C-alpha cells in the first residue's frame, strides 16, 4: 500500500532582494505567458481630478468675467479684455440658460429660441466681424454675447415691479439693452475696425433687442 500527501510547492521570486511567495496558480499563469493578467496598474493622478477641473470650469474666472460685463466702465480698473481673449463655454451657457429660465412664463419653447439666437446670432456677428477685418474667433464672440446678457437679467426683476408704468418700463428696457450692447461692443469692436465700428455695433444692438423681446413676449 502506498500512502502519503502532495504538498503545494512554494515558489519564491527574488524581487530586489525580497522573497515573495506565489501560489501555484500564479506560477502557472506566469509560465504560460499570462502573467499580464496579474499586473495591477498604478492610479493615474489625471483620473483623480475634481469634477470642476475635469470639466474645465473655473468659478473664480467666471465670477471675474461677470463683474467685467456688469461694470464695463474702464475707470473701475477691470481687465475686461479677459472676457474676449480667454473665452470659455460654461459661463456664457449658464448665463443664457438663466436668462431662458426667467423668460419662461409658461412657454417652455422660449428656451430653445434663446439658445438658438445666442448660437446663430453670435455666428452672424462673428462672420460680420471677419468680413470687416476683425481678428476675432467664434468662441470669443459666443462668450462675449453670452456674458453680456447679464444686464438684461439684472433689469428683469425691476420690470416686474414697474411693469404697470409704461414709460418707466420702456426707459428701463432701453437702458438694459444699451447696457448689454455697450458691454459686448466695447469688447468685440477693437481698433482694427476704426471707421467701420457702427457696422458691427448696430447688429449687436439689434440682437439684444431681440433677446429682450423674447423675455417680454413682444
Amino acid at each position: 500500500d502506498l500512502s502519503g500527501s502532495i504538498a503545494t510547492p512554494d515558489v519564491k521570486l527574488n524581487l530586489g532582494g525580497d522573497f515573495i511567495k506565489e501560489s501555484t496558480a500564479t506560477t502557472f499563469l506566469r509560465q504560460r505567458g499570462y502573467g499580464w493578467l496579474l499586473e495591477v496598474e498604478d492610479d493615474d493622478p489625471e483620473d483623480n481630478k475634481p469634477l470642476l477641473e475635469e470639466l474645465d470650469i473655473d468659478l473664480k474666472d467666471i465670477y471675474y468675467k461677470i463683474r467685467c460685463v456688469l461694470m464695463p466702465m474702464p475707470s473701475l480698473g477691470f481687465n475686461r479684455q479677459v472676457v474676449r481673449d480667454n473665452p470659455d463655454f460654461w459661463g456664457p451657457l449658464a448665463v443664457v440658460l438663466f436668462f431662458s429660465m426667467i423668460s419662461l412664463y409658461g412657454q417652455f419653447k422660449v428656451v430653445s429660441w434663446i439658445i438658438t439666437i445666442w448660437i446663430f446670432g453670435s455666428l452672424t456677428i462673428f462672420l460680420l466681424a471677419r468680413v470687416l477685418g476683425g481678428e476675432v474667433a467664434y468662441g470669443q464672440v459666443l462668450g462675449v454675447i453670452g456674458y453680456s446678457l447679464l444686464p438684461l437679467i439684472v433689469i428683469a426683476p425691476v420690470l416686474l415691479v414697474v411693469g404697470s408704468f409704461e414709460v418707466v418700463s420702456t426707459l428701463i428696457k432701453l437702458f438694459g439693452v444699451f447696457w448689454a450692447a455697450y458691454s459686448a461692443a466695447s469688447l468685440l469692436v477693437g481698433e482694427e475696425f476704426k471707421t467701420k465700428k457702427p457696422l458691427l455695433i448696430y447688429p449687436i444692438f439689434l440682437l439684444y433687442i431681440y433677446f429682450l423681446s423674447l423675455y417680454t413676449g413682444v
Side-chain angles (χ1 to χ4, degrees):
D1 294 335
L2 297 177
S3 63
S5 62
I6 300 176
T8 303
D10 291 336
V11 180
K12 297 181 179 179
L13 295 180
N14 186 358
L15 300 176
D18 297 330
F19 289 93
I20 301 174
K21 183 184 292 185
E22 285 194 347
S23 65
T24 304
T26 302
T27 304
F28 176 79
L29 289 175
R30 293 189 184 279
Q31 290 176 349
R32 295 297 186 276
Y34 297 102
W36 57 271
L37 292 173
L38 306 174
E39 295 179 358
V40 179
E41 294 183 359
D42 296 333
D43 291 336
D44 189 356
E46 295 292 330
D47 297 334
N48 299 325
K49 289 183 178 180
L51 180 60
L52 292 180
E53 186 177 349
E54 189 71 26
L55 296 176
D56 196 22
I57 299 176
D58 189 344
L59 296 180
K60 291 183 179 180
D61 181 60
I62 292 175
Y63 174 66
Y64 185 81
K65 291 177 180 177
I66 288 174
R67 294 172 64 191
C68 290
V69 170
L70 292 179
M71 294 175 280
M73 288 73 70
S75 58
L76 295 177
F78 289 106
N79 181 21
R80 301 186 67 246
Q81 290 302 316
V82 72
V83 182
R84 169 179 171 172
D85 297 338
N86 186 26
D88 65 288
F89 176 74
W90 297 108
L93 179 62
V95 174
V96 172
L97 289 178
F98 186 67
F99 181 74
S100 302
M101 295 304 295
I102 67 173
S103 304
L104 280 177
Y105 286 116
Q107 44 182 355
F108 192 72
K109 292 181 179 180
V110 75
V111 177
S112 60
W113 268 106
I114 290 175
I115 295 177
T116 302
I117 295 303
W118 171 48
I119 293 174
F120 288 99
S122 298
L123 179 61
T124 302
I125 300 298
F126 163 71
L127 294 175
L128 184 57
R130 295 306 295 261
V131 169
L132 295 176
E135 296 296 331
V136 64
Y138 176 60
Q140 294 175 324
V141 178
L142 199 67
V144 170
I145 296 297
Y147 273 118
S148 296
L149 275 173
L150 285 167
L152 299 186
I153 295 176
V154 171
I155 69 169
V158 182
L159 291 177
L160 294 177
V161 177
V162 300
S164 57
F165 302 97
E166 185 175 351
V167 176
V168 178
S169 178
T170 302
L171 291 176
I172 292 176
K173 290 176 184 178
L174 289 175
F175 172 74
V177 171
F178 274 110
W179 185 4
Y182 174 78
S183 184
S186 60
L187 289 168
L188 292 177
V189 181
E191 292 298 326
E192 65 267 23
F193 292 101
K194 295 181 180 179
T195 59
K196 300 177 182 178
K197 288 183 180 181
L199 296 177
L200 192 61
I201 295 175
Y202 180 66
I204 292 175
F205 180 74
L206 293 180
L207 181 61
Y208 286 107
I209 289 180
Y210 193 77
F211 275 123
L212 183 64
S213 68
L214 290 174
Y215 167 71
T216 57
V218 177

